[in-house]
Amino acid sequence: MGRLAGLRADYAVLRNGAFRRIVAARALTQLGTAASPVAVAFAVLQHHSASALGLVLSVQSAGFILLCLVGGVTADKLPRAKLMVVTETCRGLSQLLLGVLILWGHAPLWAFMVLATVNGAGSAFSAPTRQGMVAEHVEEGRRQAANGLLSACQNGATAVGAAAAGLAAAFFGPGWVVVADGLSFFGSALLLAGLIGTAPVRMRTQGLGVRNALGMVRGTPWLRSSLVFFMAFQLCYYSVLFVLGPAAMRGGHGAAAQWGVVVAAFSAGLFSGALVAVHIRPRRPLAVMFLLTLSVVPGLLCLAWAPGPLLLVVAQFCAGLGLSCADTLWMTVLQDHVPQEIFGKVVSVDWLFSAGLRPLGYAGVGFLAAVVPPAVVFAGAAAALAASVLAAVLRNRDLSLAPLSPKPVGGAAP
């Protein structure tokens, strides 16, 4: 009975009507967002080259990176539900227009690039706004369960959307898949429109701009050291995994299928880890978050030593599980210790430091692999990650989570 009562308490956040709307809206858009890249890739390659597809993907990432901080500032100044409705509507219109152009059969490359940039820019606004809405509508003691459930729904929708995308594009055509993605954004906007005017009134943050957010990050030891760790993690893990991982499968029969199974195992781990995070309550969440990222080390060592596909699949499942738990703990720490009036800016700085280094990491790993055996790169990345975790923990021996102050520092910001 006690265990059953604990499970009920963990999922009690689902009785929150506002949170249910946030989860439903996110699951709906993520289905389309996971399917759309597959359809867009097929559509681009029908009339253009692989390098053209690379340009489309690059400008979409650039749209997010360039406007990430602007999105965070806007999320803190405007009512978040209204901002989400506008953002989701704009992204829906861009995807709907792209889908119509693909169905028309004469979509020029510049149209793919412009609309991909609009979609990436929209995500720069929606990402910090959505996380701020969770903190606004869910009380402090239930935010970790809320983040875990939101992440589980997101990862589940990603798996379903990506799996269905290929079949849908083959049977109905890529244009209809992109149109469906656009309609999913309109559905999300309708769901979130019901939250307009329901959030608590936030303190106004005049003078609190990007420079102030960066100053607050520099002046908060636990946040500063965490962001430095995330930069190292992006360079040492995701760049190495997604550039050299597929290449490590080469040479054998069914290499592409093997890598697909590895990626599926990683995704399954992400989904499972989000559900596990609903039930754990560590006393020192930041320390546990750092240590959970060590779950990726066995997978890198498996790629270095190539012990066999089964062990690699298990290792990648564990990597996804650990990373999903760590991500949920991190977002909960931010929501509990960063004031609402500066939350969007701080989250945007977090993502800028993380996502902003991925293109550099991809290019650097590709160059490094040309002069160093891949096995050495995998092993070196594993060692660097382990050392980064140790350094992060030692740098924050007490791991005290001092809250950030929303007071302007260093003068007015732009």
Side-chain angles (χ1 to χ4, degrees):
M1 291 297 292
R3 180 174 297 181
L4 181 60
L7 287 174
R8 288 176 177 172
D10 290 333
Y11 291 98
V13 68
L14 290 174
R15 292 199 291 265
N16 184 325
F19 177 67
R20 289 199 304 271
R21 283 179 176 268
I22 295 171
V23 170
R26 182 54 176 161
L28 185 60
T29 56
Q30 194 61 28
L31 280 170
T33 300
S36 182
V38 178
V40 170
F42 279 116
V44 171
L45 293 175
Q46 281 178 354
H47 304 286
H48 306 284
S49 65
S51 60
L53 177 59
L55 284 174
V56 173
L57 297 177
S58 297
V59 297
Q60 183 169 353
S61 298
F64 176 83
I65 293 170
L66 292 176
L67 291 179
C68 188
L69 292 178
V70 177
V73 172
T74 307
D76 287 340
K77 286 185 176 181
L78 301 179
R80 290 187 174 124
K82 287 184 179 179
L83 180 59
M84 279 297 293
V85 170
V86 173
T87 301
E88 298 289 75
T89 301
C90 291
R91 296 180 72 187
L93 288 172
S94 71
Q95 290 300 91
L96 193 60
L97 178 57
L98 179 59
V100 170
L101 288 174
I102 294 172
L103 291 172
W104 181 44
H106 300 284
L109 180 60
W110 65 262
F112 280 102
M113 296 178 65
V114 169
L115 294 173
T117 304
V118 172
N119 197 17
S123 64
F125 288 84
S126 64
T129 306
R130 182 183 302 108
Q131 292 297 341
M133 289 179 69
V134 173
E136 280 182 338
H137 291 281
V138 178
E139 58 269 30
E140 184 172 333
R142 292 179 174 173
R143 285 174 185 162
Q144 185 173 316
N147 288 321
L149 290 170
L150 183 62
S151 179
C153 289
Q154 175 179 318
N155 290 323
T158 298
V160 173
L167 291 175
F171 280 99
F172 304 108
W176 288 111
V177 176
V178 179
V179 167
D181 182 29
L183 294 176
S184 74
F185 284 109
F186 293 138
S188 172
L190 286 174
L191 285 168
L192 296 175
L195 300 181
I196 293 176
T198 63
V201 178
R202 280 174 278 150
M203 185 179 75
R204 295 191 178 274
T205 57
Q206 294 178 351
L208 290 175
V210 174
R211 284 182 296 183
N212 292 98
L214 292 171
M216 293 171 192
V217 170
R218 287 195 301 267
T220 309
W222 65 266
L223 184 55
R224 182 181 65 246
S225 60
S226 296
L227 294 187
V228 170
F229 170 77
F230 295 151
M231 292 169 62
F233 187 88
Q234 290 288 332
L235 290 173
C236 294
Y237 182 62
Y238 282 113
S239 301
V240 172
L241 179 68
F242 290 114
V243 172
L244 298 184
M249 302 289 107
R250 288 180 180 174
H253 296 293
Q258 290 181 20
W259 182 246
V261 172
V262 169
V263 174
F266 182 78
S267 300
L270 290 174
F271 177 77
S272 303
L275 292 179
V276 170
V278 174
H279 306 289
I280 62 175
R281 297 291 186 277
R283 289 189 302 170
R284 302 172 68 189
L286 200 58
V288 175
M289 183 271 293
F290 285 133
L291 295 174
L292 280 170
T293 60
L294 290 173
S295 62
V296 306
V297 171
L300 290 173
L301 294 178
C302 284
L303 287 167
W305 295 332
L310 179 60
L311 188 57
L312 178 59
V313 166
V314 173
Q316 290 303 325
F317 174 85
C318 294
L321 190 149
L323 287 183
S324 187
C325 284
D327 183 66
T328 299
L329 290 175
W330 172 245
M331 190 51 61
T332 305
V333 165
L334 288 182
Q335 291 169 347
D336 287 348
H337 293 84
V338 177
Q340 278 294 298
E341 50 269 22
I342 58 172
F343 182 83
K345 289 183 280 289
V346 172
V347 170
S348 294
V349 170
D350 173 18
W351 278 326
L352 179 65
F353 274 72
S354 299
L357 285 179
R358 282 195 185 185
L360 178 62
Y362 290 150
V365 169
F367 173 78
L368 188 62
V371 295
V372 179
V376 175
V377 179
F378 284 126
L385 280 172
S388 298
V389 172
L390 179 62
V393 174
L394 290 178
R395 240 187 342 255
N396 301 271
R397 291 180 182 274
D398 58 349
L399 294 172
S400 58
L401 295 171
L404 276 71
S405 170
K407 183 179 179 180
V409 292

